[in-house]
Amino acid sequence: MTPTLTTPHTTATTAPAPELAPREQEALRHIAAGHTYLQTARHMGLSKHTVDAYLRRIRAKLNVNNTAEMTRIAIALGL
């Protein structure tokens, strides 16, 4: 009896991006356009702390660590 090595079956599909709330999408769009947190907050009629909270949630949902990664994903999502 000879041992047989098998590779685990993996799928090439990636998980769909988590659903972002409309205000999270708007905040991400502003940040991806190069606006600061304060500029984004003023345009959206929010405090900069609320914008920061939105972006923390976005980073958690998208599993990214910085603005460059968020911007890349925003472009990929068509925002």
Side-chain angles (χ1 to χ4, degrees), residues 4-74:
T4 305
L5 296 176
T6 59
T7 57
H9 179 68
T10 58
T11 59
T13 60
T14 58
E19 190 68 32
L20 297 178
R23 294 294 269 182
E24 291 172 342
Q25 290 179 19
E26 185 178 356
L28 179 57
R29 191 171 28 255
H30 284 287
I31 295 301
H35 299 135
T36 65
Y37 283 29
L38 186 57
Q39 290 169 329
T40 300
R42 286 182 179 158
H43 189 270
M44 294 177 68
L46 305 169
S47 76
K48 67 179 181 175
H49 300 289
T50 303
V51 171
D52 182 53
Y54 282 159
L55 295 174
R56 278 195 314 266
R57 274 189 261 149
I58 292 167
R59 283 192 294 273
K61 286 181 180 181
L62 300 178
N63 195 27
V64 297
N65 297 316
N66 58 47
T67 303
E69 289 178 281
M70 280 195 310
T71 300
R72 182 185 57 80
I73 291 173

